[in-house]
Amino acid sequence: MDIKDIKVETGVEAKLGTLEWKKQPEANILLKNSGADAPCVTKCKDKPCTTVCPAKVYEWESSHNKVIVNYENCIECGACRMLCPFDNITCEWPGGGQGVKYKYG
Ligand code: SF4
Ligand code: SF4
């Protein structure tokens, strides 16, 4: 096989696929307000959580007019908590031995 035929996967999704998780029993990521009056519905036009999160934890579901939180994919980077313009995200680090497992951590 020629070296140029070897497919090199460098995308974020490929790298996320190399991580391991030990699922925690409770969500470490929550929306403070997820109701019909939440800022996600009433004020947040751009919904940066759905584009900033590298693990695609947040998805805007237009049919239900709400943000879905796939908390079990979280890689604990903290970006969403800092970047939510309406401070609507609670982000707690999982307990010892739970959550994402990094190669060198
Ligand atoms: S960035 Fe914050 S306010 Fe905007 S959709 Fe996400 S959680 Fe809701
Ligand atoms: S902490 Fe990072 S990986 Fe986890 S939900 Fe927030 S942005 Fe996504």
Side-chain angles (χ1 to χ4, degrees), residues 29 53-55 57-58 74-80 91:
I29 300 285
C53 173
V57 168
Y58 305 93
C74 176
I75 60 167
E76 303 156 27
C77 71
C80 57
C91 172

Side-chain angles (χ1 to χ4, degrees), residues 1-8:
M1 178 188 290
D2 197 292
I3 190 80
K4 70 180 174 2
D5 295 327
I6 298 174
K7 186 179 174 197
V8 178

Side-chain angles (χ1 to χ4, degrees), residues 6-53:
I6 298 174
K7 186 179 174 197
V8 178
E9 292 188 286
T10 55
V12 172
E13 286 179 19
K15 290 183 177 174
L16 287 175
T18 67
L19 297 175
E20 294 175 25
W21 279 263
K22 182 170 182 190
K23 286 189 179 165
Q24 60 272 26
E26 294 176 4
N28 65 318
I29 300 285
L30 285 172
L31 298 184
K32 293 176 186 173
N33 183 348
S34 58
D37 62 340
C40 317
V41 179
T42 60
K43 297 184 200 165
C44 190
K45 188 168 162 260
D46 294 333
K47 301 178 180 36
C49 62
T50 63
T51 52
V52 161
C53 173

